[in-house]
Amino acid sequence: MHSERPMSRYYWLKPLLIGSSLAIVLIASLVAGGLLYLRCDPARLEPLLEWSLSRVFNRQLIVGELVEADLGWNARIRATGVSLANPDWSEDAHFFSASELEIKLNLPSLWREGPIIIHSLSLAQPRVNLQRIDDQAATWDLWAAED
């Protein structure tokens, strides 16, 4: 006589593990492919950098040209024609501008609690426009509380 094995109550575990493993491999592959795509040509990273940093600073950031972007543990970014907008009430359009900017920073420090670690910062023809009006926040207060 042929005896049948009783069906395990964990029969769903094996397909779940296989499916989860495949999903993790797929996501890791997509992330690695995306990073490789962005690292091959810095110009591809430029719109993403402008968009994300504009959200961080609550002001429009413009990058004329992203010349170099090494997004390793210690990132190095070199750009030309960089400017950060002033608040709407300011007389001058730009809070900060530089013809060239090079920054080397510890990339994980952007997401950790504590200070952002900047190894070096080089600017060519920097211009900073500091203004303050009595009833308004100062132009350098990038994260002012809104009334």
Side-chain angles (χ1 to χ4, degrees):
M1 269 194 129
H2 180 27
S3 67
E4 291 186 28
R5 278 183 22 193
M7 184 178 267
S8 170
R9 61 180 170 182
Y10 299 109
Y11 65 92
W12 52 269
L13 189 58
K14 185 175 181 181
L16 178 67
L17 290 174
I18 291 171
S20 298
S21 299
L22 290 174
I24 289 170
V25 168
L26 178 65
I27 291 170
S29 298
L30 289 173
V31 168
L35 286 175
L36 183 62
Y37 176 77
L38 291 174
R39 288 185 77 168
C40 289
D41 183 10
R44 295 175 182 156
L45 183 62
E46 187 177 307
L48 178 64
L49 190 65
E50 284 181 341
W51 179 83
S52 59
L53 291 178
S54 292
R55 299 304 172 270
V56 168
F57 294 127
N58 296 317
R59 304 201 189 152
Q60 184 180 18
L61 175 80
I62 296 173
V63 177
E65 180 185 4
L66 190 60
V67 178
E68 185 178 347
D70 179 11
L71 300 178
W73 188 269
N74 289 310
R76 179 175 180 259
I77 296 172
R78 192 165 59 99
T80 59
V82 179
S83 66
L84 183 64
N86 251 330
D88 293 334
W89 56 263
S90 176
E91 296 172 6
D92 197 338
H94 300 293
F95 165 68
F96 166 81
S97 64
S99 63
E100 188 170 331
L101 174 141
E102 181 177 342
I103 187 167
K104 295 177 188 173
L105 68 139
N106 179 273
L107 204 55
S109 72
L110 293 173
W111 298 284
R112 287 193 309 242
E113 189 75 28
I116 295 173
I117 301 169
I118 298 175
H119 299 295
S120 67
L121 175 65
S122 299
L123 302 168
Q125 298 174 341
R127 182 170 179 265
V128 179
N129 180 19
L130 305 175
Q131 295 179 18
R132 180 179 206 127
I133 297 179
D134 293 335
D135 62 338
Q136 299 287 335
T139 56
W140 60 88
D141 192 359
L142 299 175
W143 300 281
E146 302 208 9
D147 295 330

